[in-house]
Amino acid sequence: MRVLAINDISCVGKCSLTVALPIISASGVTCDILPTAILSTHTGGFTGYTFRDLSEDIPAILEHWKSLGLKYDIIISGYLGSIEQVDMVRAIRRDFLKEGGLMIVDPVMGDNGKLYVHFDAAFVEKMKELCRDADVIVPNVTEARALCGHDLSAADGDCPALLRELGALCPRPSVTGCDEREGDKTMCAVYYTRKDGTTARFATEKIEGSFHGAGDVYASALVGCLARGVGMDDAVRIAATFTADSIRQTALDKTEARYGLNSESRMYAYLQALDKAAQKA
Ligand code: PXL
């Protein structure tokens, strides 16, 4: 099983490839990487970071890979370094995804009701093209709202409605980070679509605060599970539980949110859950 993770390298801040590579590899499958940009830190909560867009390097990397005859069972794309990279990723899907392989798009563009710096309405429009090519998309609520043309900061959290709207873009959409009241508790839910088109929800108790890199941990663990043949229900449950455990650990450690999730010490529990589900799959 061979996975390709397309994402940036933020040297510090635990997101993108520094999260995807360890989690997907530890899940027990080969994870090759295509870096879209190299930054000294990610862009959320730091100033003065360096940003080298790698768009110019990608064509030669792909030519070399073609000469090796590389093909992938799963391709996951995340943060892109330029709008031009959307078409590059679409071409990568055409040239490198195996027949019957899975294209997963994390349309990384924003969070907490705002687009990240370097993203604008034109990028959102272009990202829709990539989502149309995907089998599975994993936007957070802000990205889902952007893809559906809604006001980003609107307080209403009607994730089932967003999920239905995203169905026009992609056959198996999901929406993560849906805050919902359940009695006296606040829950953080993910809504998702199964292969047969039915929809489902999985929720964990919300831990107050905003935690950078949670979407990357979730998407990477989801890919790890799917790559091991685990079905979507178990994959979502295991990935969301690992993410919630990592957030809880980060809150306990009281490390700064911008330095990312402390998922390292939660990895063993994640792998145990994955192994158990993979055995029955
Ligand atoms: O975690 C999403 C992400 C990925 N990559 C870079 C980012 C962000 C969010 O801020 O800045 C470079």
Side-chain angles (χ1 to χ4, degrees):
M1 183 60 68
R2 202 173 191 103
V3 175
L4 174 63
I6 305 171
N7 217 324
D8 72 273
I9 297 176
S10 288
C11 300
V12 169
K14 292 195 281 192
C15 63
S16 316
L17 286 179
T18 67
V19 166
L21 184 52
I23 292 177
I24 297 171
S25 300
S27 302
V29 297
T30 298
C31 182
D32 292 342
I33 61 165
L34 183 64
T36 56
I38 297 188
L39 299 86
S40 51
T41 66
H42 62 71
T43 68
F46 295 97
T47 53
Y49 53 82
T50 68
F51 186 122
R52 183 178 296 275
D53 169 12
L54 294 177
S55 299
E56 276 183 26
D57 295 59
I58 290 176
I61 292 172
L62 299 180
E63 275 316 302
H64 185 214
W65 287 359
K66 275 185 196 161
S67 77
L68 299 173
L70 290 171
K71 291 280 176 189
Y72 291 94
D73 300 283
I74 299 181
I75 298 178
I76 165 115
S77 77
Y79 186 99
L80 301 184
S82 70
I83 196 165
E84 289 74 31
Q85 288 183 1
V86 171
D87 284 332
M88 295 183 189
V89 175
R90 297 183 69 198
I92 291 168
R93 186 190 77 89
R94 283 196 303 272
D95 295 340
F96 292 97
L97 187 64
K98 276 186 194 164
E99 186 83 31
L102 196 65
M103 180 76 201
I104 303 180
V105 171
D106 184 357
V108 177
M109 294 185 294
D111 203 2
N112 301 312
K114 282 196 274 220
L115 292 182
Y116 298 133
V117 278
H118 308 298
F119 292 89
D120 57 14
F123 201 108
V124 173
E125 270 317 298
K126 193 74 189 162
M127 184 57 89
K128 286 189 199 169
E129 293 179 20
L130 188 53
C131 291
R132 285 193 190 97
D133 275 1
D135 300 296
V136 172
I137 56 172
V138 291
N140 60 34
V141 178
T142 302
E143 290 154 350
R145 282 208 182 105
L147 291 168
C148 294
H150 294 304
D151 177 6
L152 293 197
S153 56
D156 87 280
D158 191 350
C159 283
L162 279 174
L163 191 72
R164 279 194 297 279
E165 277 191 66
L166 289 170
L169 275 183
C170 167
R172 292 167 65 191
S174 61
V175 187
T176 61
C178 304
D179 287 358
E180 295 173 340
R181 292 296 299 173
E182 225 175 76
D184 59 350
K185 287 188 183 145
T186 306
M187 306 297 286
C188 182
V190 47
Y191 284 82
Y192 63 99
T193 315
R194 302 189 182 100
K195 252 190 201 155
D196 66 3
T198 57
T199 60
R201 169 187 184 272
F202 180 79
T204 53
E205 199 166 333
K206 175 152 172 92
I207 296 138
E208 279 316 316
S210 172
F211 294 86
H212 198 275
D216 303 86
V217 171
Y218 174 76
S220 305
L222 187 77
V223 166
C225 291
L226 295 175
R228 289 285 303 279
V230 172
M232 193 68 179
D233 288 334
D234 280 339
V236 168
R237 173 180 58 78
I238 293 167
T241 303
F242 178 35
T243 308
D245 281 356
S246 303
I247 290 174
R248 196 172 303 108
Q249 185 65 51
T250 312
L252 275 174
D253 294 344
K254 296 192 171 59
T255 47
E256 278 184 62
R258 63 181 179 164
Y259 283 99
L261 293 193
N262 299 339
S263 57
E264 299 86 352
S265 62
R266 307 314 311 154
M267 182 87 95
Y268 184 58
Y270 157 68
L271 293 178
Q272 282 178 315
L274 166 55
D275 266 339
K276 196 169 157 201
Q279 268 163 35
K280 94 176 185 210

